[in-house]
Every structure is written in structure tokens, then in C-alpha cells.
Amino acid sequence: MTDAPAPAPPLPDRDWRIIGLIGTGHFLSHFYMLCLAPLFPIWREEFGVSYAVLGLSVALMAAITGLLQTPVGFLVDRHGARPFLVGGTLLMALSIAAMALAPNYWVVLGLAITSGIGNSVIHPADYAILGSSIGERRMGRAFAMHTFTGNLGFAAAPLAIGLMTQTLGLGWRPALLAAGLAGVPVVAAIVLQSRILRDQARPKKHAAPLGREVLLSRTMLMFFAFFLLSSMAGVGVQSFLIAMLDKLWATPLAVASLTLTGYVMGATGGVLIGGWYADRYASHFTFVTALTALSITLLLAIGLLPLPDAALPVVALVAGGALGASRTPRDVMVKHAAPPGQMGKVFGFISSGLPLGSAITPVPFGLMLDHGVPWLVMPTVAALLVASLFCAGTARGGALRAARVPAPSPLPAE
């Protein structure tokens, strides 16, 4: 039976303001994660350190962010998300701004750690606020915009830093100072508008399983694995697609770069399609499965068939779009599985699989290229995505059994 779509009215002004506030903070979070790497050549000369040491700044920021998300999630559930969102965003922004005054690289490294501490607040606080402040029938679009603004932050960071340091000739210190201080008005806006940001309702004592009981349940562990494996697959494509095409088919660098750009653009824009779908239909897992299967097929074609140069960017665009569109229903599935009042810890724990997956992937995929088996890259990506679907299905089944309800029926039209 096909769910009949119904046109939805425009989001109320209040919902747009909430999505805008949370989305802007998420943009900054991703922007700050990627704004240091473009400065590595400059820092190498100025501070006299190796690229390996420079890489520690990004690695530590990501590691601290991932490791602290779960404990921060417990605090968000206990004390409310708004103060943590304000404090975390401010700490993140001021840490980046303070790097402009750093006398040596070790101060930069310390500030990268403090920025990571601030960044660890974003996912648990954002999802707790969105889950409580946005109407259920608009949750998919809210989550989609959250992911979309984060992706824009990743895309904007190298461009903005390059523009300020190279085109405008500001130097790296004014560039980082400007980037960091840009977060201050965002924090001020969150504070001034905080009355429209709702904290999740706290459950009655013993009304639901608490703490580690929730996170160590089979359902949540499977969702964590879903996020982890999806991240491993996605980073494998983004990090090694160009090198794989070169080694397999001697694809020109310009074509390979355009192919990667197509994949990233598709993945970024696809989340908005997924948000639209998630708000109109209840068959989220079926949607995720179908689109992931399409993406697997197209990625295998890129890695195993000598496609024409003109076709590569188009195939990659569709593959990325399919995978991106599957991501928002995934987030909504997690939201529905989270016990009342515990979205902070649930999303903090599950989304920590994303940076962990990013950390695991590069070495094994790099070894495939080093040992002359680049044809293994896309089949490995495909295997990771298939495994992620198995984990998603297991998690969904566990959530339905825990709720003791049948599979969800289509949502009524708005």
C-alpha cells in the first residue's frame, strides 16, 4: 500500500527561528572542525613542526568531541540543554579566536582541545532541543536542516580561511580571530531567543530505563553500529575516491575531482529530500534500505566498471544524493526509539560513532591503495553499507518490540 503524500503548510515563524538558531550553531561546529587544516602549510613554516604534529590539532579536536558527547548527553538530560548549548558554543568560538594570539604551536594544540570540549555539546544539546521544540510532523525537516547546515560548515571552512589568508591577505591570525569572534553574535542570539527553545520533559522516576541501561541496550548499540559503519563507508569514499579512480582507470585529476564534488553535493542536498520524506511517510526503514541499496549499486559501478569520464560525476551525484537522503529518516528512527527525556545521552552516544568511524577508516583504505588492490575500495564500502543496514534493521526491530506496538502506520496528512 502506498502512502498518499499531502502538502504541508509552511513552517511557522517560531519553528524557522528554532531551526535557524540551532542550525547556525551546528554550522559553526563543523566550520571550526575544518578551519585549521588550510593553515597547516603556514604553521609548518612559522612554528617549525611537521605535518604529523600539525595533524594532532584536528585529530585531538575530533577525538575530544567524540569521547565527551556521551557524558555531556547525560548532563543535558539532567540539567537541560540550553545552558550547555550556550556555554559549549561560546567555548568553541573563543578557543578558535584565542589561537590568533598563540605564541607557539603547543598553545594552539591546547586550544584545539578546549574547542573540542565545547564542540562535544552540540549534538546532544541540538537534538534534545529540536526533539522537544519542533512539532512531530516537522521533525524530519528540522533534522534535515540540522545536517545540511553542518555540511555547509564543512564546505565553507576551507573557502573562508583561504579567502581571508590568500585573497584578502589578512594573515592567519586575523583570519582565525575573525572566524572565532563570528561565534559570539550567534551565542548572543541563542541567549536572546532562548525562551523559544524548549528542554525535553523529564520522565518520572523509574518511568523508563536510565543511564547505561539505555545505551547498552541492543537497540541503541545497533543504532551506534549503524552510525559507525555508515561513517566508515562515507569517509572511505570521500577520502579515497580520487586516488582510487587514478589507480584503477587513470582518470584525469580534473574529472576525478569533479566526481568527488558531485558525490559531496549529492550527499549534502540529499538530506533535504530525506527530511521531506520523513515528515510525510512512516516507512522510514524501507526508504533507508532502498536508497542505500541504490547508492551501493552505483558506487560499485564506479569502482568496478570503466565508466566514461562524462558519466562519473553524474553517477557519483546520484549515489551521494541517495545516501544523503537516507540519513534524515535514520535520525528520526533514533528519535522515536529514545526513551522520554533521554535524547541527550542517546544522540550523544550514537552520534559519537560518526567521528569514530572517520578515525578508523583512513588507514585500512590507504593500505589497499599502497598494496596495489584499489579495486577493493568500493566493494569494502559496499560491505560496510550492507552491514549498516543489518544493524539498522535490528535496531528498528528492537525498538518496535520494546514499545510493544506494530510497525508504524502512515502519518495522517497535515
Side-chain angles (χ1 to χ4, degrees):
M1 179 178 179
T2 303
D3 301 334
L11 291 180
D13 176 66
R14 176 182 166 278
D15 282 359
W16 276 120
R17 285 158 58 199
I18 294 169
I19 292 169
L21 287 172
I22 300 300
T24 305
H26 196 220
F27 173 92
L28 286 177
S29 165
H30 284 232
F31 183 96
Y32 292 148
M33 290 286 286
L34 211 58
C35 74
L36 303 186
L39 299 175
F40 285 178
I42 301 173
W43 282 352
R44 186 171 183 270
E45 295 297 322
E46 180 159 341
F47 294 133
V49 294
S50 68
Y51 280 117
V53 173
L54 288 169
L56 275 177
S57 60
V58 176
L60 283 175
M61 192 186 298
I64 293 295
T65 297
L67 288 172
L68 292 184
Q69 280 185 169
T70 302
V72 168
F74 276 84
L75 295 174
V76 164
D77 290 342
R78 183 175 303 165
H79 302 291
R82 286 176 290 182
F84 288 96
L85 179 62
V86 170
T89 305
L90 186 61
L91 177 61
M92 180 174 62
L94 293 182
S95 296
I96 297 296
M99 290 181 187
L101 308 176
N104 56 60
Y105 177 69
W106 305 110
V107 173
V108 169
L109 204 60
L111 290 169
I113 292 173
T114 61
S115 184
I117 294 171
N119 209 339
S120 69
V121 169
I122 300 300
H123 275 168
D126 282 1
Y127 281 109
I129 288 173
L130 289 175
S132 305
S133 302
I134 303 296
E136 185 64 33
R137 306 192 188 290
R138 299 184 177 94
M139 196 64 65
R141 282 164 286 179
F143 282 0
M145 286 302 298
H146 184 259
T147 302
F148 182 74
T149 53
N151 289 341
L152 286 183
F154 274 151
L159 180 63
I161 296 298
L163 179 66
M164 287 189 284
T165 57
Q166 303 301 319
T167 305
L168 300 180
L170 292 180
W172 70 267
R173 293 182 186 275
L176 278 187
L177 183 63
L181 292 181
V184 175
V186 175
V187 173
I190 294 173
V191 171
L192 292 174
Q193 297 289 315
S194 63
R195 66 186 182 279
I196 68 173
L197 304 179
R198 296 179 183 171
D199 277 319
Q200 55 189 336
R202 298 177 189 176
K204 296 178 181 179
K205 191 175 181 181
H206 305 309
L210 301 175
R212 288 182 298 175
E213 232 183 298
V214 174
L215 303 186
L216 297 181
S217 68
R218 186 181 184 188
T219 296
M220 294 307 165
L221 289 175
M222 287 294 101
F223 272 127
F224 172 83
F226 181 25
F227 276 56
L228 173 71
L229 293 167
S230 300
S231 175
M232 291 173 65
V235 171
V237 176
Q238 293 181 42
S239 300
F240 295 98
L241 179 62
I242 292 176
M244 183 207 71
L245 289 173
D246 173 55
K247 287 186 171 290
L248 276 178
W249 318 117
T251 303
L253 179 60
V255 175
S257 299
L258 187 59
T259 301
L260 178 59
T261 299
Y263 175 84
V264 173
M265 288 178 60
T268 301
V271 298
L272 299 179
I273 298 172
W276 174 87
Y277 180 91
D279 282 340
R280 285 160 173 76
Y281 303 96
S283 51
H284 296 157
F285 180 65
T286 302
F287 185 76
V288 170
T289 301
L291 289 189
T292 304
L294 173 61
S295 186
I296 288 171
T297 302
L298 296 176
L299 291 173
L300 284 174
I302 291 174
L304 300 178
L305 300 176
L307 299 177
D309 288 352
L312 281 170
V314 177
V315 174
L317 177 71
V318 178
L323 208 56
S326 72
R327 293 309 174 235
T328 305
R330 173 196 69 178
D331 294 345
V332 175
M333 287 166 59
V334 174
K335 191 262 181 186
H336 289 161
Q342 300 185 55
M343 283 188 63
K345 65 173 68 69
V346 165
F347 272 100
F349 171 65
I350 289 173
S351 63
S352 67
L354 300 177
L356 181 57
S358 301
I360 292 172
T361 296
V363 172
F365 278 93
L367 288 173
M368 293 177 196
L369 297 177
D370 290 340
H371 287 78
V373 286
W375 59 267
L376 268 180
V377 170
M378 286 308 176
T380 303
V381 167
L384 290 169
L385 290 174
V386 169
S388 76
L389 286 178
F390 171 79
C391 294
T394 304
R396 176 179 176 272
L400 291 174
R401 285 192 298 272
R404 295 181 180 177
V405 296
S409 57
L411 296 173
E414 291 187 283

